[in-house]
DNA sequence: CCGATCATGTAAGTGGTTACATGATTAT
DNA sequence: ATAATCATGTAACCACTTACATGATCGG
């Protein structure tokens, strides 16, 4: 549903190839959207068929030829439309909460050890986001930062704060589970 | 991937029909897992074929016959195995963050209005969780609460805290965006 | 009479993943 | 030699959604 708009958003301003887009998904936008390379090419073909993109074939000598995708006026319209439309609530699907919910079917120790792996995962992701944040020049006055970057920093801030929240909650949960009664049917 | 385990978790203890399970998905576990009815029946058939469930057909006069699914020893083993296994990190797919990320392509006002819809959605979901919490007897001493409910309350607490965090972050974000430079290419 | 509740399923379609396929150039 | 980078794609499969199909009983 949203992949086409992610592509349009990335292509608005500067044209890119499928390969470039794939790199963008593995770097810049990786904290809120991921895709497989194969899906990018399929989506690009569809977007072109729909008239939201046009292709410019670039012949190269030192590397394989590539196709640069340019956003069309129709594509830009569609993107603006999407940006102004609130998204429908998406279905909940958080399996790790399920593991907690059914925690009574196993021992406190097992639940805690799974939560600890989750904590380790969160710390890693948080560290990655903090590394991203460290690349941001800190000395610039707020007003001097281009509008585009202000929005990007805002989403980065969301990622940072969310991860800090999740980490803290998980650590607290571990402490709470330690106080839970022990399972009598322990193996 | 996780649906089969959600079914096993719900069936551990008391057998249920596909219809009962569907109701459970729309009530008890709805804050972390949702499914369509059609998917439940398909999953049930597969689980039975795999030997993780057995079927008991119950003939009824006043309502259509039903099939009660019972968890088998193999099913319980598989469930315990899953409960003890940390889940792989799942791919990020948060389209609303994308709308923020590409916010520079539209006006601050448009971004804020979309965020405000999101805030309204969050308030609704938070209210639903608070209503759920209100049904919990508050006078019981912590130690007297059965282990099963302790885990369930823990997941409810996660939902509550997460929604409060998201709501606060969104409200702060709106205030911040008001300070962003205005877009010169406003339509 | 109508809608809700009980109860089971199939079929078509979409979005996404995994695996496969090709092949040149450049850096270690 | 080998791996990484550049570059494009197809095919099979899986999870999930939407829509369709059936039919009895019960309460307002």
């Amino acid at each position: 549903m949203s992949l086409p708009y992610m592509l349009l958003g990335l292509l608005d301003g500067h044209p890119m190839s499928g390969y470039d887009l794939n790199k963008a998904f593995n770097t810049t936008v990786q904290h809120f959207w991921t895709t497989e390379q194969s899906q990018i090419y399929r989506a690009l073909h569809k977007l072109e068929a729909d008239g939201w993109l046009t292709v410019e074939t670039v012949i190269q000598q030192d590397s394989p030829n590539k196709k640069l995708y340019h956003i069309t006026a129709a594509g830009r319209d569609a993107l603006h439309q999407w940006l102004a439309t609130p998204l429908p609530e998406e279905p909940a699907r958080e399996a790790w909460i399920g593991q907690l919910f059914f925690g009574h079917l196993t021992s406190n120790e097992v639940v805690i050890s799974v939560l600890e792996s989750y904590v380790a995962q969160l710390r890693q992701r948080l560290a990655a986001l903090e590394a991203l944040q460290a690349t941001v020049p800190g000395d610039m006055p707020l007003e001097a930062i281009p509008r585009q970057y202000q929005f990007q920093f805002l989403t980065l801030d969301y990622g940072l704060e969310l991860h800090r929240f999740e980490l803290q909650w998980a650590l607290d949960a571990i402490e709470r589970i330690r106080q839970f009664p022990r399972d009598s049917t322990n193996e």
Side-chain angles (χ1 to χ4, degrees), chain A residues 4 62 89 97 99 147 156:
Chain A
D62 48 348
E89 196 174 334
I97 299 285
Q99 289 182 318
R147 199 160 164 270
L156 179 56

Side-chain angles (χ1 to χ4, degrees), chain A residues 37-49:
Chain A
Q37 171 255 61
S38 61
Q39 212 187 348
I40 294 173
Y41 288 103
R42 270 203 279 110
L44 249 16
H45 295 323
K46 177 150 197 299
L47 251 15
E48 194 204 336

Side-chain angles (χ1 to χ4, degrees), chain A residues 8 11 14-16 52-56 58 68-72:
Chain A
L8 290 173
L11 291 173
H14 42 120
M16 281 190 261
W52 291 4
L53 295 178
T54 49
V55 198
E56 173 200 357
V58 179
L68 281 186
Y69 287 90
H70 298 255
I71 194 167
T72 64

Side-chain angles (χ1 to χ4, degrees), chain A residues 7-65:
Chain A
L7 293 170
L8 290 173
L10 289 169
L11 291 173
D12 194 293
H14 42 120
M16 281 190 261
S17 66
Y19 187 85
D20 297 330
L21 287 162
N22 190 45
K23 273 195 299 183
F25 277 104
N26 292 325
T27 55
T28 350
V29 301
Q30 135 262 157
H31 62 288
F32 64 87
W33 203 269
T34 38
T35 335
E36 296 302 318
Q37 171 255 61
S38 61
Q39 212 187 348
I40 294 173
Y41 288 103
R42 270 203 279 110
L44 249 16
H45 295 323
K46 177 150 197 299
L47 251 15
E48 194 204 336
D50 292 348
W52 291 4
L53 295 178
T54 49
V55 198
E56 173 200 357
T57 303
V58 179
I59 283 108
Q60 298 180 123
Q61 300 94 321
D62 48 348
S63 37
N65 296 343

